[in-house]
Amino acid sequence: SPASPAAQGGSFPQGFVWGTATAAYQVEGAANLGGRGKSIWDTFSHIPGKVANGDTGDVSADQYHRFKEDIALMRDLGVKGYRFSVSWTRIFPDGLATGNPNAEGLGYYQRLVDALREASIEPYCTLFHWDLPQALEDKGGWQNRDTAQHFADYAAVVGSKLSDRVSHFMTTNEIRSFTELGYANGVHAPGLKLDAQGVAQVKHHGVLAHGLAVQALRAHARPGTMIGLAENPAAATPVIPDAANIHAAEAALREENAPFLTAIFEGRYTERYLAQLGGSAPKFTDAEMKAISSPLDFVGLNIYNPMYIKAADTPAGYTVVHPSPTYPRMASPWLTVGPEALYWVPLLVGRTWQPRAIYITENGASAADLMTPHGEVLDIDRAMFLRNYLNQLQRSITDGAPVKGYFVWSLLDNFEWADGYDKRFGIVYVDYKTQKRTPKLSAHLYRNIVMQNRIV
Ligand code: PNW
């Protein structure tokens, strides 16, 4: 496709949304305040041995009490968007949207979004970032189809209460991650290792929850509300960019994401996915597949590590090339560095499924940040990572990818799930003893990029 003139000369398009991202359980703290009910992450993080150093999200970065200070930080960065998530159990402590929503919980998010708007920062709201109500897990959680309907009912209420001041909603965050890490590998909450059929069914209920929530939001949110999701597709990237490998990466994008983005955009599971599962295939109906593929206003892509794809003489036409032990990584072992993922994935997603708009809803890096005696955090590794990835995103847009915004993960150091506070992803350092925030070198770099709308 033709180069967009708006993105030429190293610049990003006019009106490009620069933002930062967080999630409720990772930054809020105040786990037992405001009438909040228990989520599976409260349970899981309190089981000895599940999270590094026995860390929990009980206090975390305490954004619940410090959101005004965090908004001031964002103002200094010049960002125009903040992606946050709503804690389901602050709104409905036992997950069921039957009675009235908890006014204190709802009030917190209303104050948060009002303060964002006052600072001219657009709120981008995720409805589910992994903190499933424990009361629903007790009834089978994502193994139980009813959870998908309960999620849609909750989404309807939040949509009706917040859409007067929030114009962008994402249903779920990373169905691929929470189903695989939580229900197949058992390293995330709720810590299960189901068999193949169980995992396939959980994934099906995850995409169904998304689809039913899209329908609920269309019915209950203000007309014109923009509705999407944030998914981390297997980031198919050609091993080297020649025609055969690009073609292979296109095929891999669909197959490797068959139970997730492919189902959501195409309304069916690929034949290869169903054939591979055989007797372990998920049970589903046509009506469910229709709900799952409800039209979206945008798709959010969380992109970190590439999945390198090589053309091969196999039935699927490709193989996955796994990084060797010496391949460059950030502080998290899974975070192999491949800036060109941010070139290829938006382009291939755009070509394959023609979404109306793409946002990069997460991208960022963990690093072993240390504070100097002068109180500075000079994270040159994270700065290099962001510069390299953003250069590739700029090229991607120039070559036609319909990307409207970018949200760096994360504004703040926070509770990195099973890694606890051991892995830091923030562009702002958090001293967890004092809750003092210190913008890192990468925050200064990001500010320059945001201010000039180009990589400097
Ligand atoms: C995403 N992996 O999680 C989440 O959306 C964030 O909540 C999280 O903090 C961030 O990325 C950084 O990890 C992932 O193992 C967790 O491949 C693990 C993986 C990928 C994404």
Side-chain angles (χ1 to χ4, degrees), residues 22-23 26 83 129-130 173-174 176-177 181 188 232 302 304-305 332 334-335 362 364 409-410 414-417 419 425:
T22 63
Q26 296 182 272
R83 175 172 177 245
H129 201 123
W130 305 0
N173 178 73
E174 298 194 356
R176 185 166 81 105
S177 294
L181 300 171
H188 277 194
N232 63 325
N302 297 353
Y304 293 91
N305 51 317
S332 309
W334 58 268
L335 218 183
E362 287 181 28
W409 184 274
S410 176
N414 62 53
F415 178 78
E416 175 57 12
W417 307 116
D419 292 326
F425 272 83

Side-chain angles (χ1 to χ4, degrees), residues 330 337 339 363-367 369 377-391 406 408 425-427 440-449 455-456:
M330 301 304 287
V337 179
N363 170 246
S366 49
D369 301 306
V377 180
L378 302 175
D379 55 339
I380 52 178
D381 41 7
R382 183 178 291 101
M384 170 171 68
F385 181 101
L386 292 177
R387 207 167 43 233
N388 289 339
Y389 271 73
L390 283 170
N391 265 316
Y406 170 95
V408 68
F425 272 83
I427 59 172
K440 303 175 191 177
L441 183 71
S442 57
H444 296 288
L445 170 81
Y446 195 54
R447 182 175 186 277
N448 291 344
I449 292 171
I455 319 258
V456 278

Side-chain angles (χ1 to χ4, degrees), residues 53-334:
N53 306 314
D55 292 338
T56 76
D58 289 0
V59 177
S60 189
D62 197 31
Q63 187 168 79
Y64 189 77
H65 295 112
R66 295 166 198 271
F67 69 87
K68 289 196 176 135
E69 182 184 347
D70 291 343
I71 291 171
L73 281 168
M74 287 188 254
R75 252 194 115 120
D76 290 342
L77 286 170
V79 297
K80 302 178 213 159
Y82 181 48
R83 175 172 177 245
F84 67 98
S85 83
V86 171
S87 162
W88 187 342
T89 57
R90 283 198 195 284
I91 312 299
F92 295 109
D94 65 0
L96 300 176
T98 38
N100 288 329
N102 170 30
E104 244 187 295
L106 206 50
Y108 168 66
Y109 294 107
Q110 284 168 334
R111 289 197 304 282
L112 172 70
V113 299
D114 284 347
L116 285 165
R117 289 212 160 280
E118 214 162 292
S120 302
I121 298 169
E122 183 78 26
Y124 286 70
C125 175
T126 309
L127 292 167
F128 179 70
H129 201 123
W130 305 0
D131 42 1
L132 186 74
Q134 180 61 44
L136 294 185
E137 183 60 34
D138 294 343
K139 298 177 199 167
W142 290 111
Q143 296 180 75
N144 185 342
R145 188 193 187 282
D146 294 346
T147 297
Q149 188 59 54
H150 295 316
F151 176 63
D153 295 345
Y154 147 74
V157 172
V158 178
S160 75
K161 300 288 185 187
L162 286 187
S163 61
D164 56 340
R165 39 199 132 180
V166 176
S167 55
H168 292 75
F169 283 92
M170 285 145 284
T171 55
T172 46
N173 178 73
E174 298 194 356
I175 301 167
R176 185 166 81 105
S177 294
F178 79 76
T179 57
E180 289 181 353
L181 300 171
Y183 295 82
N185 308 339
V187 297
H188 277 194
L192 300 179
K193 293 182 185 175
L194 303 179
D195 62 14
Q197 207 284 326
V199 172
Q201 204 62 44
V202 157
K203 290 176 180 176
H204 178 67
H205 293 153
V207 288
L208 178 62
H210 153 76
L212 295 176
V214 172
Q215 297 181 337
L217 287 167
R218 295 266 182 244
H220 295 277
R222 190 178 51 80
T225 300
M226 306 298 267
I227 299 167
L229 84 166
E231 189 54 32
N232 63 325
T237 302
V239 268
I240 53 169
D242 56 19
N245 290 309
I246 294 167
H247 184 72
E250 262 168 353
L253 179 71
R254 286 187 66 249
E255 288 303 340
E256 298 294 323
N257 298 296
F260 313 112
L261 280 189
T262 308
I264 286 166
F265 279 115
E266 302 183 14
R268 58 185 204 89
Y269 292 122
T270 67
E271 272 156 40
R272 189 172 303 281
Y273 176 66
L274 294 176
Q276 267 170 1
L277 283 171
S280 301
K283 297 190 190 359
F284 59 90
T285 67
D286 289 348
E288 288 172 351
M289 297 315 290
K290 193 151 194 277
I292 288 167
S293 55
S294 300
L296 302 178
D297 300 304
F298 68 93
V299 62
L301 303 176
N302 297 353
I303 298 179
Y304 293 91
N305 51 317
M307 178 188 269
Y308 283 116
I309 302 295
K310 186 179 173 308
D313 198 6
T314 60
Y318 68 88
T319 54
V320 177
V321 180
H322 297 284
S324 80
T326 59
Y327 190 93
R329 286 167 162 80
M330 301 304 287
S332 309
W334 58 268

